[in-house]
């Protein structure tokens, strides 16, 4: 999953690493396997929210196209 918005980004690859970067805070890299279960669960929730936002965007764009 990759999320980019207003000069910041989050990239999560459950088999490899997590990257978060912003102009304000710089870049942070973590190995997925090194994150505790609570942090993984929070990142998985963010991913579900991103899927919901994408689906909502698809509906909005489809409505404009019709």
């Amino acid at each position: 999953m990759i999320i980019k918005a207003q000069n910041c980004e989050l990239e999560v690859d459950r088999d490899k690493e997590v990257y978060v970067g912003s102009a304000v805070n710089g870049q942070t890299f973590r190995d997925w396997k090194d994150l505790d279960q609570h942090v993984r669960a929070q990142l998985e929730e963010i991913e579900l929210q991103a899927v919901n936002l994408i689906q909502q965007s698809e509906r909005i764009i489809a409505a404009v196209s019709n």
Side-chain angles (χ1 to χ4, degrees):
M1 163 192 68
I2 299 172
I3 300 172
K4 294 183 178 189
Q6 298 181 352
N7 299 321
C8 57
E9 61 186 318
L10 169 67
E11 184 173 343
V12 176
D13 183 338
R14 293 184 194 186
D15 295 325
K16 295 181 183 175
E17 67 181 11
V18 175
Y19 160 76
V20 63
S22 72
V24 174
N25 296 316
Q27 300 177 324
T28 302
F29 294 87
R30 297 287 186 267
D31 285 332
W32 178 261
K33 66 181 179 357
D34 294 339
L35 300 173
D36 68 39
Q37 190 59 36
H38 180 70
V39 172
R40 289 182 188 186
Q42 289 178 311
L43 291 170
E44 289 167 351
E45 176 60 30
I46 290 170
E47 186 172 24
L48 288 174
Q49 292 175 21
V51 168
N52 289 333
L53 288 171
I54 291 167
Q55 291 170 347
Q56 181 181 357
S57 299
E58 287 175 332
R59 289 189 298 274
I60 292 167
I61 298 300
V64 171
S65 300
N66 294 330

